[in-house]
Amino acid sequence: MDTVYLDTNVYVACYGDRRGKKALISESEESDKLLQKIREGKCKLTTSDHLERQLDVYLPKYMQFVKELDGLGLRNQVTVESTDIEAAEKEVSLLPKNATDFEDALHFVLAKKAGVHYLVTWNLPDFNWFQKRIHVVTPNGVGSPWVPRCNMCQ
């Protein structure tokens, strides 16, 4: 079964707007389809406390979703530890200036820590630097025959 870690913007596309801008209809629909695949047990979700802090106003809808998944055994939770923060800071320091930010680097570190097959985001350029070490895809890329699972994660 594919395992996924969703960037904050995937949830925002489902639950509301981002910085005062409505999500594109296609982003919203594709994000909804992926959450439905997770509900149906076609893939397993990994979440983190870092993600929950970023979701703030969307947290009630998100918590309702993960409670449903927990009841079905379809979620894994990872917790940020000091070593993860250090690893994210190191990732950012190794990249060209403004290549990505600490928050996205921490999502990458947590997804790698959990061993997921896909890190899912609508903001591919921010994760471009991590593509060689984890599959970074949009929601419609999960399980696609055109996007193989990350061999390093299995």
Side-chain angles (χ1 to χ4, degrees):
M1 178 184 307
D2 290 327
T3 55
V4 296
Y5 182 101
L6 310 184
D7 186 17
T8 312
N9 59 40
V10 176
Y11 295 102
V12 173
C14 290
Y15 301 146
D17 61 8
R18 187 171 176 87
R19 297 184 188 104
K21 298 177 184 174
K22 282 283 187 198
L24 298 173
I25 291 173
S26 59
E27 287 184 4
S28 181
E29 289 173 353
E30 291 300 324
S31 297
D32 285 338
K33 285 179 189 176
L34 179 56
L35 294 189
Q36 188 57 38
K37 277 176 81 169
I38 294 167
R39 281 187 187 96
E40 293 169 358
K42 295 179 180 170
C43 52
K44 189 168 184 172
L45 177 68
T46 294
T47 60
S48 70
D49 53 347
H50 171 56
L51 172 73
E52 291 171 1
R53 281 191 296 278
Q54 287 191 315
L55 284 172
D56 55 33
V57 297
Y58 306 106
L59 198 56
K61 290 180 181 177
Y62 165 80
M63 292 308 290
Q64 180 181 356
F65 173 65
V66 296
K67 183 177 179 184
E68 177 185 344
L69 295 180
D70 287 346
L72 299 170
L74 295 172
R75 181 174 79 118
N76 176 40
Q77 173 79 0
V78 293
T79 304
V80 176
E81 297 173 10
S82 61
T83 54
D84 302 322
I85 292 170
E86 292 166 10
E89 288 171 345
K90 181 178 179 186
E91 290 290 344
V92 171
S93 74
L94 296 174
L95 298 175
K97 188 174 180 166
N98 298 324
T100 194
D101 63 17
F102 172 79
E103 303 298 329
D104 288 339
L106 187 53
H107 282 305
F108 164 73
V109 167
L110 294 169
K112 284 295 292 177
K113 175 181 174 178
V116 301
H117 298 114
Y118 302 100
L119 191 157
V120 184
T121 185
W122 284 112
N123 198 2
L124 295 173
D126 283 3
F127 292 92
N128 187 44
W129 300 98
F130 307 121
Q131 280 281 10
K132 292 193 185 301
R133 295 181 283 159
I134 194 167
H135 283 300
V136 180
V137 297
T138 59
N140 56 353
V142 174
S144 166
W146 306 108
V147 182
R149 283 182 172 186
C150 179
N151 293 329
M152 297 172 286
C153 304
Q154 295 180 15

